[in-house]
Amino acid sequence: MAFDAYQKREFKLVGTRVPRPDGIDKVTGRAMYGADPVAPGMLVGRILRSPHAHAKIVAIDTSEALALPGVKAVVTGADFVLPQDAFLADIGENAMAQGKSLYDGHAVAAVAAISAEVAKAALKKIKVTYEVLPHVTDVDAAMKAAAPVVREGLRLESVPDGAGGNVTHFCEFGHGDLAAGFAKADKIVERSFKTAATHQGYIEPHACLASVTADGKADLWCCTQGQFNVRWLCSELMGMEASQLRVTPSEIGGGFGGKTTVFIEPVALMLSKKAGRPVKIVMSRDEVFRATGPTVSTSIDVKIGMTKDGRITAGEAKLRYSGGAYQCMTVEMGGQAAFACYDLEAVRTQGWNVLTNRPKEAAYRAPGAPQAIYAVESVVDELCQEFGLDPIEVRIKNAAKKGTKSSYGPTFDDIGLMATLEAAKKHPHYTAPLKPGQARGVSCGFWFNFGGNTCVTLNVNTDGTVGVTEGNPDIGGSRASISLMAAEELGIPYEKVRTIVADTASLGFCDVTDGSRVTFAVGIATIRAARDAIKKMCGRAAKIWGIAEEAVEWREGAAHPAGPNAGKFPPMTLAEIAAVSFQTGGPIAGHHEVNADGAGVSFGVHLVDLEVDKETGATKIQRYTVFQDAGKAVHPDYVEGQMQGGAAQGIGWALNEEYIYGDDGRLQNAGFLDYRVPVASDLPPIEAVILEIPNPGHPYGVRGVGETSIVPPLAAISNGISRAVGKRLQQLPMSPPRVLKAIKSA
Amino acid sequence: MRYEKPQTVAEAARLLSAEKGLSRILAGGTDVLVQMKSGLIEPDLIVDIKALPGLRSIVAEAGGFRVGAAVAGAQLAEDRDLKKAWPGVVEAANLIGSTQVQGRCTMAGNLCNASPAADSVPALVAAGATVRIAGPGAARDVAVETIPAGPGKTTLKKGEFVTSIFLPARPARSADAYLRFIPRSEMDIAVAAAAVNLTLDAEGRVTAARVALGAVAPTVLLVEAAAAALIGSKLEEAALEKLSAACSAAAKPIDDKRGSVAYRKDVVGVLAKRAARIAYTRAGGKQ
Ligand SMILES: Cc1cc2nc3c(=O)[nH]c(=O)nc-3n(C[C@H](O)[C@H](O)[C@H](O)COP(=O)(O)OP(=O)(O)OC[C@H]3O[C@@H](n4cnc5c(N)ncnc54)[C@H](O)[C@@H]3O)c2cc1C
């Protein structure tokens, strides 16, 4: 067994609900968010945005704006030299338009001025001449041969001949003989679905402060899920060496995937470079909706065959995703995830990425999976109804398990789907009788999870405390979990450990906080860094005792002679070793750097009871339970928070959230009034049932939990509503007008 | 931009009349400040009316209630007598915003902001409320439904403003109710709304009724055919169906991001029925 592989153990601290380290700062308003830093001589940056969905930028005249007293710099697309790499060029092109406005809200120019008033006035003085072009915002319309082509030259070789001009990517997954599979079915259901683009809806708008000095060094403070990624993207776009740009992440007011890239950061850097002064940009809510990264909008066909006793014989899905006016690989994840919950002999998914005049997609919790699984789980539910079968029984019958060749290739190791389904089946929620007018919906969900590049430094202080330095912004309680794991491994109290998130100059590269990777991967690095420190502390004790290093072992927070032959010495605690460290060789620190593997896939099952007002089409969610495998819940409060949070966002997505575009291609609901996230009174208490099926790839058995929970709500709620109204719903969101229409046509 | 907080009604009227640029009254500010912040309006003069005598109190008058133009939603909720006499008006005004907004927002501001979806307005219209207008000339009283002229527009003339809203005395066995439809349960804007105000006789027969609809036309609608459907009935199913049909027919909504024409017409009829049932029960009727 590898040194770090999972070993069953009794935990002292892991699994307890210790106070969160960031709690007091957050509730007292002291936490430093992206908009909080100030610098001497700081200017205000503001961005001018295109009102056109699709337009050629014929000319930009900035002379009047520059002449305005108090304006210190103006930036347009012409200031940037885009990298050759297409991925990087797209990010730069999205941050500042290059010759064409590709969506309503696309940045076309920016100013830095001595005050917000001057900056606002300056924006009005920038004259942009547009030549408006035909636009397309709907994914199906964009697939058509006659559709206006959003951008030329993005098509990859994967795209088969004959696809429309907006198709940029094609992918295919699966195995087995589909025709033979469908031939074995007693019933085949084929349905088409559509899902609207949704926004992560984080409360904190994007904000940054950039300071570029005359000698080419720069500092950037920003709200992000990944400071190293910001450094990479911005240094490439600015033509800087990575080491000359230091990025410091702020406390974060929500990200959910949406803060894994850059929008305003390169603009602030360029303004600062030109103005020679620090520049702060804070987005308005309107800008956040129009010009950051919502999810893909999709159109999906699903065909599933089933025998009358509930065995799925074949499954097929065709997924058309649009990530806006840019190349987008999210459809790959949809194609891989669609049937991942099932053990199938014949399965195929095909995906197309389609360009539309919408903002560039950014990640949103389990990107691509909720849409695909919504479509598949809807058809599975319809087949259960057809045959009068229990929806959980059918899922148990077909569930993927250890040894299943997954629909996307790999063979599964220990996975928790079956245990999760069994837990749901036995739970009082599932056995509770429905009240008149109520209906119940069920859905499974899946997410891959990720490991990735991670560094941790663990410093043992001379007073017996420990500082953990890690490089991943804490978006879901990771500092508490990391401190818990460090304390567990070292054998010291949780309170003795403080974990901080470092800037890019203070630690080696860390991948973005995404893919539910932090508690898993930073956890591994922390445990290994603690073991490294333990080894060093044992060495110091050996030195003091005058015995061999191998003759010292670490137990309960102290070095002990390993056995009677090692000699008789009283144990030395971490604090005692640390106190004399300057005399025994100097400060003690543990390190670990890893590209972590073995994240372990994650499954969840959601149950919902709901009621539909048959006269208005309004849905009331009455009871909601989430079942999910956490491997090991390091801090159960946070795990429950992730499970509940994903469910809450999924409920919003299912019922009301959507990007609404007018015929003019402009976004009509760029604010929280008409982009309707659920408010507290829309949600029932969400019960979270944590299962712990240890992940073999983590020393404590941890699995990521941050994303799976947003996958099942869409289908669970759609299945509930469809049962309540006697008609299969096929479009998200299931807003009251849409549901009333279904009721009237039932 | 100038900010003024006059101490007399005459001074307020003078300031408003003299201003050459754009002026705005500031009551609770829950519309005006939001509009300024979003850049929708850039007023040259703001006249805060909260210091004007009598504008922040509710006083009994001729068996009814005179509600000052600067009385906040939360204050209405605390007035037991008002709530008892006009439960529909108070529930409508209390639907505005959140607890925080309730501490500020006024019915007069709701009326004069002239949103077709303003929540307190249909209830005030169904109640037969009048508003007192001050201005360069003598004060005058007008029916509340004459104030809105279209989205964002009122019939108030230069220098004029509302000083109070009057809710009249009520006969025995009278009650009102207001319902709006929103996709969420809170913090939303009406997709359609209905207010019903009823008086019953001793047998539970409707002797007088007023029905007003919100968010289904450029201004609030007072639907006489809907009222006629109820008068003489004991709220039998047939009467309710007639009410609902009359409301759907009267509604002239638009298609927009908040709802389609067909949806709004449907739902406004449903709301009217439901509001009528609530008002009927409140008035002591038994269905
Ligand atoms: C978060 C939030 C939620 C909201 N929710 C709702 C809701 O659910 N339903 C709803 O209907 N509204 C809602 N609103 C809008 C607003 O709160 C209401 O319209 C409120 O009643 C306005 O009252 P006010 O006193 O704050 O008006 P102000 O903002 O002070 O004034 C509104 C307008 O009326 C004019 N005005 C004010 N008083 C007078 C007067 N006495 N004479 C002449 N003109 C006058 C002002 O010049 C201005 O144009 C919401 C607003 C916010 C910010």
Side-chain angles (χ1 to χ4, degrees):
Chain A
M1 190 181 268
F3 172 64
D4 65 320
Y6 173 72
Q7 271 178 306
K8 201 170 156 55
R9 62 188 283 170
E10 292 294 317
F11 291 107
K12 286 206 174 76
L13 294 170
V14 162
T16 62
R17 300 173 189 255
V18 293
R20 58 191 295 167
D22 52 334
I24 290 174
D25 280 357
K26 282 181 178 165
V27 299
T28 56
R30 278 202 190 181
M32 295 282 284
Y33 288 99
D36 290 327
V38 286
M42 184 173 89
L43 301 172
V44 178
R46 284 276 191 284
I47 296 175
L48 183 70
R49 298 184 180 278
S50 165
H52 302 294
H54 197 191
K56 199 173 151 200
I57 300 168
V58 180
I60 305 179
D61 180 356
T62 60
S63 55
E64 274 189 43
L66 266 171
L68 201 68
V71 173
K72 301 295 177 190
V74 178
V75 160
T76 68
D79 289 293
F80 290 91
V81 181
L82 293 189
Q84 287 294 309
D85 179 86
F87 173 83
L88 290 167
D90 263 6
I91 287 172
E93 201 285 339
N94 187 41
M96 195 53 75
Q98 297 284 337
K100 226 171 138 187
S101 154
L102 295 170
Y103 55 91
D104 165 39
H106 200 165
V108 293
V111 301
I114 52 167
S115 71
E117 288 70 31
V118 175
K120 227 169 96 181
L123 287 190
K124 287 189 183 163
K125 293 200 178 295
I126 297 176
K127 295 202 180 63
V128 186
T129 314
Y130 293 102
E131 179 190 321
V132 177
L133 302 170
H135 66 270
V136 60
T137 54
D138 176 74
V139 59
D140 288 323
M143 282 287 281
K144 299 213 169 97
V149 175
V150 174
R151 277 166 88 200
E152 307 279 359
L154 293 191
R155 164 182 300 227
L156 297 180
E157 281 170 13
S158 59
V159 179
D161 291 340
N166 287 312
V167 177
T168 60
H169 179 52
F170 173 79
C171 58
E172 194 166 20
F173 304 93
H175 57 252
D177 183 341
L178 273 188
F182 283 120
K184 282 187 232 161
D186 292 316
K187 173 99 194 164
I188 297 168
V189 167
E190 243 185 303
R191 291 251 178 257
S192 297
F193 299 89
K194 267 188 116 146
T195 71
T198 54
H199 195 272
Q200 300 83 356
Y202 34 81
I203 298 302
E204 183 198 18
H206 298 258
C208 70
L209 169 61
S211 180
V212 182
T213 56
D215 59 356
K217 288 200 278 290
D219 257 296
L220 179 66
W221 295 266
C222 64
C223 144
T224 177
Q225 288 176 240
Q227 62 273 39
F228 292 90
N229 191 50
V230 170
R231 181 183 67 176
W232 174 51
L233 298 175
C234 289
S235 60
E236 292 281 353
L237 294 172
M238 294 293 293
M240 296 176 71
E241 289 176 349
S243 62
Q244 297 308 319
L245 173 60
R246 181 173 63 161
V247 182
T248 308
S250 68
E251 204 58 67
I252 186 166
F256 311 105
K259 290 176 182 166
T260 54
T261 183
V262 297
F263 302 101
I264 53 175
E265 293 81 357
V267 179
L269 284 164
M270 192 58 85
L271 284 169
S272 173
K273 185 178 174 180
K274 286 184 93 171
R277 282 164 69 169
V279 175
K280 177 145 98 181
I281 299 183
V282 180
M283 272 190 167
S284 67
R285 185 63 59 190
D286 176 88
E287 290 180 288
V288 170
F289 275 109
R290 288 166 74 206
T292 64
T295 58
V296 289
S297 54
T298 77
S299 160
I300 302 169
D301 308 327
V302 169
K303 180 177 172 186
I304 297 177
M306 197 184 269
T307 59
K308 57 179 180 293
D309 62 347
R311 179 71 205 157
I312 299 174
T313 61
E316 189 184 9
K318 295 189 168 139
L319 310 135
R320 295 166 293 272
Y321 281 24
S322 179
Y326 298 85
Q327 182 63 278
C328 172
M329 294 295 165
T330 299
V331 72
E332 296 242 352
M333 295 192 270
Q336 294 180 41
F339 286 99
C341 293
Y342 296 109
D343 183 357
L344 302 176
E345 272 175 23
V347 56
R348 184 175 70 186
T349 58
Q350 295 173 308
W352 291 261
N353 181 61
V354 193
L355 301 178
T356 54
N357 292 110
R358 289 171 175 251
K360 188 178 190 317
E361 183 247 21
Y364 181 15
R365 269 187 140 139
Q371 300 92 333
I373 289 180
Y374 150 70
V376 167
E377 288 291 276
S378 294
V379 175
V380 170
D381 192 61
E382 187 169 344
L383 283 159
C384 294
Q385 281 183 295
E386 284 284 339
F387 293 125
L389 297 171
D390 178 281
I392 292 190
E393 288 297 349
V394 167
R395 286 173 173 87
I396 288 174
K397 193 167 222 155
N398 295 286
K401 44 196 159 300
K402 185 171 184 167
T404 293
K405 182 177 165 56
S406 69
S407 57
Y408 60 97
T411 298
F412 288 133
D413 199 334
D414 283 319
I415 56 171
L417 178 58
M418 194 64 93
T420 312
L421 283 163
E422 296 284 1
K425 191 176 130 188
K426 286 202 295 272
H427 192 270
H429 182 166
Y430 199 61
T431 52
L434 287 170
K435 296 191 197 81
Q438 261 189 346
R440 181 165 294 151
V442 180
S443 176
C444 294
F446 159 86
W447 184 243
F448 306 93
N449 288 345
F450 179 55
N453 294 299
T454 310
C455 301
V456 164
T457 290
L458 186 150
N459 290 307
V460 179
N461 303 320
T462 50
D463 65 353
T465 60
V466 166
V468 177
T469 304
E470 52 114 345
N472 280 92
D474 177 353
I475 62 171
S478 49
R479 276 168 297 188
S481 299
I482 290 160
S483 291
L484 275 171
M485 288 186 272
E488 182 80 46
E489 196 63 30
L490 293 168
I492 59 174
Y494 167 75
E495 293 72 23
K496 296 283 180 202
V497 183
R498 180 166 182 201
T499 298
I500 64 114
V501 180
D503 64 69
T504 53
S506 307
L507 196 69
F509 184 91
C510 295
D511 274 319
V512 175
T513 295
D514 69 0
S516 300
R517 72 175 214 91
V518 175
T519 308
F520 169 76
V522 182
I524 290 178
T526 300
I527 293 164
R528 290 199 200 164
R531 288 176 184 172
D532 184 35
I534 286 169
K535 191 158 182 288
K536 289 171 182 164
M537 288 188 287
C538 288
R540 299 297 174 89
K543 201 168 180 182
I544 291 165
W545 294 332
I547 63 176
E549 224 178 288
E550 301 74 56
V552 180
E553 66 177 17
W554 191 263
R555 266 186 284 125
E556 279 141 21
H560 298 255
N565 293 342
K568 245 183 138 71
F569 303 100
M572 281 190 86
T573 63
L574 178 144
E576 286 162 352
I577 295 169
V580 297
S581 58
F582 294 179
Q583 289 83 53
T584 59
I588 300 169
H591 295 270
H592 197 76
E593 293 81 31
V594 65
N595 187 350
D597 221 344
V601 296
S602 161
F603 293 89
V605 175
H606 289 200
L607 294 181
V608 61
D609 292 354
L610 53 79
E611 206 170 77
V612 177
D613 183 331
K614 301 278 165 42
E615 291 183 312
T616 64
T619 300
K620 177 112 191 102
I621 306 290
Q622 290 160 320
R623 185 170 184 182
Y624 204 102
T625 311
V626 179
F627 304 84
Q628 194 175 315
D629 170 19
K632 175 70 203 170
V634 177
H635 192 305
D637 279 353
Y638 280 120
V639 173
E640 287 162 6
Q642 291 295 319
M643 290 161 70
Q644 292 161 334
Q649 288 183 311
I651 290 170
W653 192 342
L655 295 180
N656 283 307
E657 292 180 38
E658 65 179 314
Y659 265 49
I660 305 172
Y661 282 92
D663 291 338
D664 57 1
R666 301 191 64 185
L667 183 63
Q668 300 202 334
N669 58 336
F672 279 132
L673 177 56
D674 286 301
Y675 182 89
R676 293 188 175 79
V677 300
V679 296
S681 52
D682 292 322
L683 298 170
I686 297 169
E687 190 183 340
V689 179
I690 302 173
L691 285 94
E692 295 187 323
I693 292 103
N695 173 15
H698 186 279
Y700 294 175
V702 168
R703 249 179 241 280
V705 295
E707 290 166 290
T708 302
S709 55
I710 203 172
V711 180
L714 312 185
I717 294 166
S718 183
N719 293 343
I721 294 177
S722 300
R723 285 168 183 260
V725 306
K727 169 103 186 172
R728 181 58 45 186
L729 276 288
Q730 289 171 249
Q731 193 170 352
L732 298 184
M734 293 170 288
S735 54
R738 212 166 261 155
V739 174
L740 190 65
K741 217 168 165 183
I743 292 169
K744 292 197 161 188
S745 70
Chain B
M1 191 197 80
R2 280 185 307 136
Y3 169 84
E4 299 281 358
K5 194 169 189 176
Q7 303 297 314
T8 66
V9 169
E11 173 66 1
R14 198 193 58 75
L15 284 165
L16 289 166
S17 304
E19 178 58 41
K20 294 205 175 57
L22 183 69
S23 62
R24 277 289 183 277
I25 299 266
L26 180 74
T30 61
D31 279 316
V32 114
L33 297 180
V34 175
Q35 289 160 5
M36 284 168 62
K37 215 173 162 190
S38 73
L40 204 68
I41 54 167
E42 289 175 3
D44 303 290
L45 171 69
I46 289 283
V47 177
D48 189 337
I49 56 169
K50 288 192 285 294
L52 300 182
L55 261 75
R56 303 192 70 170
S57 51
I58 305 170
V59 290
E61 183 182 309
F65 302 84
R66 185 159 295 281
V67 181
V71 169
Q75 233 179 312
L76 300 173
E78 284 166 11
D79 192 311
R80 285 230 203 125
D81 297 334
L82 179 69
K83 240 174 132 172
K84 193 154 169 261
W86 294 104
V89 170
V90 176
E91 78 190 344
N94 287 163
L95 277 176
I96 296 169
S98 55
T99 303
Q100 292 90 329
V101 171
Q102 280 293 312
R104 290 259 154 199
C105 68
T106 65
M107 291 199 293
N110 198 221
L111 175 67
C112 297
N113 186 58
S115 157
D119 278 311
S120 68
V121 177
L124 289 170
V125 171
T130 56
V131 297
R132 181 155 295 169
I133 298 170
R140 59 191 178 103
D141 290 346
V142 300
V144 67
E145 57 268 31
T146 64
I147 298 290
K153 291 195 179 65
T154 67
T155 55
L156 294 172
K157 297 191 198 70
K158 173 101 186 141
E160 285 190 336
F161 65 101
V162 172
T163 54
S164 66
I165 295 176
F166 181 67
L167 288 158
R170 349 207 39 189
R173 292 182 299 277
S174 297
D176 63 340
Y178 173 77
L179 288 176
R180 67 171 179 183
F181 181 79
I182 53 172
R184 276 191 294 222
S185 54
E186 294 261 9
M187 297 304 289
D188 217 325
I189 184 162
V191 172
V196 177
N197 177 25
L198 298 175
T199 300
L200 314 183
D201 66 14
E203 276 76 55
R205 197 169 297 279
V206 177
T207 58
R210 280 169 74 90
V211 178
L213 309 179
V216 290
T219 58
V220 61
L221 294 178
L222 179 65
V223 187
E224 284 179 15
L230 296 178
I231 293 171
S233 82
K234 289 186 173 176
L235 235 63
E236 298 85 358
E237 210 41 50
L240 287 170
E241 283 315 313
K242 253 172 89 182
L243 162 76
S244 169
C247 291
S248 297
K252 290 175 193 61
I254 52 165
D255 259 320
D256 72 359
K257 61 193 169 194
R258 294 178 186 138
S260 63
V261 167
Y263 183 73
R264 286 186 154 121
K265 277 174 163 284
D266 271 348
V267 170
V268 82
V270 171
L271 295 172
K273 268 197 301 192
R274 292 179 180 179
R277 286 202 194 99
I278 297 168
Y280 190 80
T281 307
R282 283 178 181 163
K286 302 208 165 37
Q287 290 175 70

